[in-house]
Amino acid sequence: MAPSLKNHTCQEDRHVFSGSPTTSAIMFSAGVLGNVVALILLEIRRRKQPASLFQVLVTSLVFTDLLGTFSVSPLVLTAYLRNESLIGMSDKRLVCGHFGYAMTFFSLVTLAILLSMAVERWLSIGHPYCYEKHMSKRCGYISIVLIYLVCALFSGTPFLGFGKYIQYCPGTWCFIDLHPSKSEHKAFNIIYASCLLVMIVCTVLCNVSVIYHLLLMYRRRKAHRSSVRRQRGHKRHRSISKEVEHLVLLGFMTIAFVICSLPLVIQVYLNTYFSQDSDKNYVIPLLLVSANPIIDPWVFIILSPPVPRLLWDKLCKTAKFKPNQEKVRSIHPVLNQSNPLVDSGGGNVMKVYKEVPGTAGS
């Protein structure tokens, strides 16, 4: 009789313990389709207008998600089809090491790019002078290279003995050792979880600051009522609308990554400090981390600029025209009647309307 999953760690198994490739195949297909469609939409938008720094970062995020999907999902499907675990595919644990490296690397890179997007929006809204003077697409490309380089070096330290990648049930997963016994492995886990947590907090704070500055911009535009300032307000309205589009997209991507990564961060801390023995605790966090590259492109597709733009325009029109209509009705109730009024002399409603303001001088 096969051992129960609760007491079986699968660390040295050379065959797949249980499960079905159906879920992995669906996740792989959804991830590839979503990322490809998102890249096509970004390319269409780039041909219509020059790419901004924010679009450069979004493109790099989608490309990273696509690369991450191709790095791990085919290995899971191959393991199921061959009934061989990741360790069983190679004698030197190369496949397992690659899988663990990819999981660690892409989780860090994805959140680092999200943080870069949040910082870019924060500088653009909160510090426009500094943004216009120092920020450019070149800064975006340099940031992406640095993010990839730092994350690649950190994710490779387990191959040098600082940290460890092990196989998990049902034999189709490899990730950092969530039950470390050596102090250096514990230190690696703490650094990894702390990096994720710090980037999550910084991203949320940047988004909150952007929301605050957008509210200030909206109040300033609403306060200006002169004819000249109305024209400027129209330009500001379009500027705010564009910023809201970016904020909505970034906000939902941040929410998705927080939901997908925060359980793993909590689990790493709990296992490192409290040495929990239940192997069931890490299944859901690992699944959520794997689902994030699938969710991100679909969030971008659903929240393409037409959607938030329509919502923002509708909100602004409702707030702008509804009070004016009520004010007109209260001052000139005669305009709300369906039939035109005719005075005793045969005049139409325009005559009555012209005489109403003149009553103050009579």
Side-chain angles (χ1 to χ4, degrees):
M1 183 174 64
S4 64
L5 183 59
K6 181 177 180 180
N7 299 322
H8 193 63
T9 61
C10 301
Q11 292 187 20
E12 302 298 332
D13 280 7
R14 304 187 68 85
H15 299 281
V16 177
F17 184 71
S18 62
S20 171
T22 304
T23 303
S24 299
I26 294 175
M27 293 176 64
F28 177 62
S29 301
V32 172
L33 178 62
N35 283 289
V36 170
V37 173
L39 288 175
I40 292 174
L41 292 177
L42 285 168
E43 178 62 21
I44 293 174
R45 189 177 307 170
R46 187 191 65 82
R47 293 185 178 182
K48 291 182 179 180
Q49 57 183 3
S52 63
L53 175 57
F54 186 83
Q55 290 178 337
V56 170
L57 296 175
V58 173
T59 303
S60 64
L61 177 63
V62 176
F63 179 78
T64 300
D65 288 336
L66 181 62
L67 187 61
T69 301
F70 273 111
S71 297
V72 297
S73 293
L75 295 177
V76 177
L77 297 176
T78 303
Y80 278 117
L81 293 176
R82 297 174 55 177
N83 194 25
E84 289 183 342
S85 68
L86 299 181
I87 290 181
M89 290 183 184
S90 62
D91 296 332
K92 297 182 179 180
R93 294 175 172 261
L94 295 179
V95 177
C96 181
H98 165 78
F99 198 103
Y101 177 89
M103 291 281 291
T104 306
F105 172 77
F106 287 107
S107 62
L108 290 171
V109 171
T110 301
L111 186 50
I113 295 177
L114 276 175
L115 176 58
S116 300
M117 294 166 60
V119 171
E120 189 270 346
R121 288 295 88 198
W122 173 66
L123 290 174
S124 174
I125 300 299
H127 306 276
Y129 177 77
C130 177
Y131 180 85
E132 292 293 335
K133 187 176 181 180
H134 299 288
M135 302 302 292
S136 63
K137 289 189 293 184
R138 181 182 179 183
C139 296
Y141 295 128
I142 295 175
S143 299
I144 297 302
V145 173
L146 290 177
I147 288 173
Y148 267 76
L149 180 61
V150 173
C151 294
L153 292 176
F154 177 78
S155 301
T157 54
F159 299 113
L160 303 177
F162 185 70
K164 184 180 180 181
Y165 295 130
I166 64 172
Q167 180 176 272
Y168 291 94
C169 289
T172 58
W173 298 81
C174 282
F175 196 52
I176 61 175
D177 186 2
L178 296 178
H179 303 284
S181 57
K182 296 182 178 181
S183 58
E184 56 268 27
H185 300 341
K186 291 183 179 181
F188 176 85
N189 290 5
I190 294 300
I191 294 175
Y192 171 73
S194 299
C195 288
L196 291 179
L197 184 60
V198 169
M199 288 190 289
I200 289 173
V201 173
C202 291
T203 302
V204 172
L205 291 178
C206 287
N207 290 339
V208 171
S209 177
V210 170
I211 293 174
Y212 171 74
H213 284 93
L214 284 177
L215 290 176
L216 290 181
M217 291 171 61
Y218 178 75
R219 289 178 180 177
R220 291 168 186 164
R221 182 185 65 84
K222 191 176 181 181
H224 297 165
R225 297 298 182 185
S226 64
S227 59
V228 176
R229 289 177 178 176
R230 280 179 184 176
Q231 296 177 359
R232 294 177 181 176
H234 178 66
K235 295 179 181 179
R236 177 69 66 179
H237 162 72
R238 291 194 297 181
S239 176
I240 294 177
S241 177
K242 185 177 181 180
E243 298 299 339
V244 169
E245 293 172 6
H246 294 158
L247 179 62
V248 170
L249 176 62
L250 178 59
F252 275 91
M253 283 185 171
T254 303
I255 293 173
F257 195 89
V258 169
I259 294 175
C260 291
S261 61
L262 196 57
L264 178 62
V265 174
I266 296 174
Q267 194 62 48
V268 171
Y269 279 125
L270 291 177
N271 283 19
T272 302
Y273 286 113
F274 299 101
S275 299
Q276 296 186 355
D277 295 328
S278 177
D279 291 337
K280 298 184 296 183
N281 296 331
Y282 55 72
V283 175
I284 294 179
L286 290 178
L287 284 174
L288 289 175
V289 170
S290 300
N292 186 75
I294 302 172
I295 297 174
D296 277 345
W298 289 107
V299 169
F300 174 79
I301 294 171
I302 296 173
L303 296 178
S304 292
V307 177
R309 185 180 300 149
L310 290 175
L311 294 177
W312 176 256
D313 289 342
K314 186 175 180 61
L315 179 63
C316 291
K317 289 180 180 179
T318 301
K320 181 178 180 180
F321 291 110
K322 188 174 181 180
N324 294 339
Q325 292 175 356
E326 293 178 353
K327 184 176 180 181
V328 169
R329 291 175 182 173
S330 63
I331 297 176
H332 302 296
V334 68
L335 297 179
N336 298 322
Q337 298 183 10
S338 58
N339 296 326
L341 296 181
V342 180
D343 62 355
S344 57
N348 56 18
V349 67
M350 295 304 297
K351 182 178 180 181
V352 179
Y353 180 78
K354 292 178 180 178
E355 292 175 356
V356 171
T359 56
S362 62

Short mmCIF file of all heavy atoms in Angstrom, two decimals, residues 118 120-123 125-126 205-215 243 247 250:
data_model
loop_
_atom_site.label_atom_id
_atom_site.label_comp_id
_atom_site.label_asym_id
_atom_site.label_seq_id
_atom_site.Cartn_x
_atom_site.Cartn_y
_atom_site.Cartn_z
N ALA A 118 5.17 50.94 -10.01
CA ALA A 118 4.57 51.78 -8.96
C ALA A 118 5.43 53.01 -8.68
O ALA A 118 4.91 54.12 -8.51
CB ALA A 118 4.39 50.96 -7.68
N GLU A 120 7.47 54.43 -10.82
CA GLU A 120 7.35 55.30 -11.99
C GLU A 120 6.09 56.15 -11.92
O GLU A 120 6.12 57.36 -12.20
CB GLU A 120 7.35 54.43 -13.25
CG GLU A 120 7.45 55.20 -14.55
CD GLU A 120 6.10 55.60 -15.13
OE1 GLU A 120 5.08 55.05 -14.65
OE2 GLU A 120 6.05 56.47 -16.02
N ARG A 121 4.97 55.56 -11.54
CA ARG A 121 3.71 56.33 -11.39
C ARG A 121 3.82 57.33 -10.25
O ARG A 121 3.31 58.46 -10.34
CB ARG A 121 2.55 55.37 -11.13
CG ARG A 121 2.12 54.55 -12.32
CD ARG A 121 1.55 55.42 -13.43
NE ARG A 121 2.61 55.89 -14.33
CZ ARG A 121 2.48 56.92 -15.15
NH1 ARG A 121 1.34 57.60 -15.16
NH2 ARG A 121 3.45 57.28 -15.94
N TRP A 122 4.47 56.93 -9.16
CA TRP A 122 4.62 57.83 -8.01
C TRP A 122 5.46 59.05 -8.38
O TRP A 122 5.12 60.18 -8.01
CB TRP A 122 5.27 57.06 -6.86
CG TRP A 122 5.63 57.91 -5.69
CD1 TRP A 122 4.78 58.58 -4.85
CD2 TRP A 122 6.97 58.20 -5.23
NE1 TRP A 122 5.50 59.27 -3.89
CE2 TRP A 122 6.84 59.06 -4.10
CE3 TRP A 122 8.24 57.82 -5.65
CZ2 TRP A 122 7.94 59.52 -3.40
CZ3 TRP A 122 9.34 58.29 -4.94
CH2 TRP A 122 9.18 59.13 -3.84
N LEU A 123 6.53 58.85 -9.12
CA LEU A 123 7.35 59.98 -9.55
C LEU A 123 6.60 60.84 -10.57
O LEU A 123 6.69 62.07 -10.54
CB LEU A 123 8.66 59.47 -10.16
CG LEU A 123 9.67 58.85 -9.18
CD1 LEU A 123 10.85 58.27 -9.96
CD2 LEU A 123 10.15 59.88 -8.17
N ILE A 125 3.38 61.37 -10.90
CA ILE A 125 2.27 62.14 -10.32
C ILE A 125 2.76 63.04 -9.19
O ILE A 125 2.42 64.22 -9.13
CB ILE A 125 1.18 61.19 -9.80
CG1 ILE A 125 0.65 60.32 -10.93
CG2 ILE A 125 0.04 61.97 -9.16
CD1 ILE A 125 0.01 61.09 -12.05
N GLY A 126 3.55 62.51 -8.29
CA GLY A 126 3.96 63.26 -7.11
C GLY A 126 5.13 64.18 -7.31
O GLY A 126 5.26 65.19 -6.63
N LEU A 205 2.36 51.20 -0.87
CA LEU A 205 2.53 52.58 -0.43
C LEU A 205 2.61 53.54 -1.62
O LEU A 205 2.03 54.64 -1.59
CB LEU A 205 3.78 52.71 0.44
CG LEU A 205 3.72 52.05 1.82
CD1 LEU A 205 5.05 52.21 2.54
CD2 LEU A 205 2.58 52.63 2.66
N CYS A 206 3.31 53.15 -2.66
CA CYS A 206 3.40 53.98 -3.86
C CYS A 206 2.04 54.16 -4.51
O CYS A 206 1.67 55.27 -4.93
CB CYS A 206 4.39 53.38 -4.87
SG CYS A 206 6.13 53.53 -4.41
N ASN A 207 1.26 53.10 -4.58
CA ASN A 207 -0.08 53.19 -5.15
C ASN A 207 -0.99 54.09 -4.32
O ASN A 207 -1.80 54.85 -4.86
CB ASN A 207 -0.69 51.80 -5.29
CG ASN A 207 -0.02 50.98 -6.37
OD1 ASN A 207 0.63 51.52 -7.27
ND2 ASN A 207 -0.15 49.67 -6.29
N VAL A 208 -0.89 53.99 -3.00
CA VAL A 208 -1.69 54.86 -2.13
C VAL A 208 -1.30 56.32 -2.34
O VAL A 208 -2.17 57.20 -2.39
CB VAL A 208 -1.50 54.44 -0.65
CG1 VAL A 208 -2.15 55.46 0.28
CG2 VAL A 208 -2.10 53.07 -0.41
N SER A 209 -0.01 56.60 -2.48
CA SER A 209 0.44 57.96 -2.72
C SER A 209 -0.07 58.48 -4.06
O SER A 209 -0.47 59.65 -4.17
CB SER A 209 1.97 58.01 -2.69
OG SER A 209 2.44 59.30 -2.98
N VAL A 210 -0.09 57.63 -5.08
CA VAL A 210 -0.61 58.04 -6.39
C VAL A 210 -2.10 58.38 -6.29
O VAL A 210 -2.57 59.38 -6.86
CB VAL A 210 -0.38 56.92 -7.43
CG1 VAL A 210 -1.13 57.23 -8.72
CG2 VAL A 210 1.11 56.78 -7.72
N ILE A 211 -2.86 57.57 -5.57
CA ILE A 211 -4.29 57.85 -5.39
C ILE A 211 -4.47 59.20 -4.71
O ILE A 211 -5.33 60.00 -5.09
CB ILE A 211 -4.95 56.72 -4.57
CG1 ILE A 211 -4.94 55.42 -5.37
CG2 ILE A 211 -6.38 57.09 -4.19
CD1 ILE A 211 -5.43 54.22 -4.59
N TYR A 212 -3.68 59.48 -3.69
CA TYR A 212 -3.78 60.74 -2.96
C TYR A 212 -3.49 61.93 -3.89
O TYR A 212 -4.25 62.92 -3.89
CB TYR A 212 -2.79 60.72 -1.79
CG TYR A 212 -2.65 62.06 -1.10
CD1 TYR A 212 -3.64 62.54 -0.25
CD2 TYR A 212 -1.50 62.84 -1.29
CE1 TYR A 212 -3.50 63.76 0.38
CE2 TYR A 212 -1.35 64.06 -0.65
CZ TYR A 212 -2.36 64.52 0.17
OH TYR A 212 -2.23 65.73 0.80
N HIS A 213 -2.45 61.85 -4.70
CA HIS A 213 -2.12 62.96 -5.59
C HIS A 213 -3.15 63.11 -6.70
O HIS A 213 -3.42 64.24 -7.14
CB HIS A 213 -0.73 62.75 -6.19
CG HIS A 213 0.39 63.05 -5.25
ND1 HIS A 213 0.98 62.08 -4.46
CD2 HIS A 213 1.03 64.21 -4.94
CE1 HIS A 213 1.93 62.63 -3.72
NE2 HIS A 213 1.99 63.91 -3.98
N LEU A 214 -3.74 62.01 -7.16
CA LEU A 214 -4.79 62.11 -8.16
C LEU A 214 -6.01 62.82 -7.60
O LEU A 214 -6.67 63.61 -8.29
CB LEU A 214 -5.17 60.73 -8.68
CG LEU A 214 -4.19 60.07 -9.66
CD1 LEU A 214 -4.67 58.67 -10.02
CD2 LEU A 214 -4.05 60.91 -10.92
N LEU A 215 -6.36 62.55 -6.36
CA LEU A 215 -7.47 63.24 -5.72
C LEU A 215 -7.18 64.74 -5.59
O LEU A 215 -8.09 65.57 -5.80
CB LEU A 215 -7.75 62.63 -4.34
CG LEU A 215 -8.34 61.22 -4.34
CD1 LEU A 215 -8.47 60.70 -2.91
CD2 LEU A 215 -9.71 61.21 -5.02
N GLU A 243 -3.88 58.94 -16.19
CA GLU A 243 -3.23 58.44 -14.97
C GLU A 243 -4.09 57.40 -14.27
O GLU A 243 -3.57 56.43 -13.71
CB GLU A 243 -2.93 59.61 -14.03
CG GLU A 243 -1.99 60.66 -14.59
CD GLU A 243 -0.62 60.09 -14.92
OE1 GLU A 243 -0.28 59.02 -14.38
OE2 GLU A 243 0.10 60.70 -15.72
N LEU A 247 -3.21 53.63 -13.11
CA LEU A 247 -3.37 53.25 -11.71
C LEU A 247 -4.27 52.03 -11.57
O LEU A 247 -3.99 51.14 -10.76
CB LEU A 247 -3.95 54.42 -10.93
CG LEU A 247 -4.21 54.16 -9.44
CD1 LEU A 247 -2.91 53.84 -8.72
CD2 LEU A 247 -4.90 55.35 -8.80
N LEU A 250 -2.22 48.97 -12.70
CA LEU A 250 -1.20 48.65 -11.72
C LEU A 250 -1.80 48.16 -10.41
O LEU A 250 -1.29 47.23 -9.79
CB LEU A 250 -0.34 49.89 -11.46
CG LEU A 250 0.78 49.78 -10.41
CD1 LEU A 250 1.75 48.68 -10.80
CD2 LEU A 250 1.50 51.10 -10.26
#
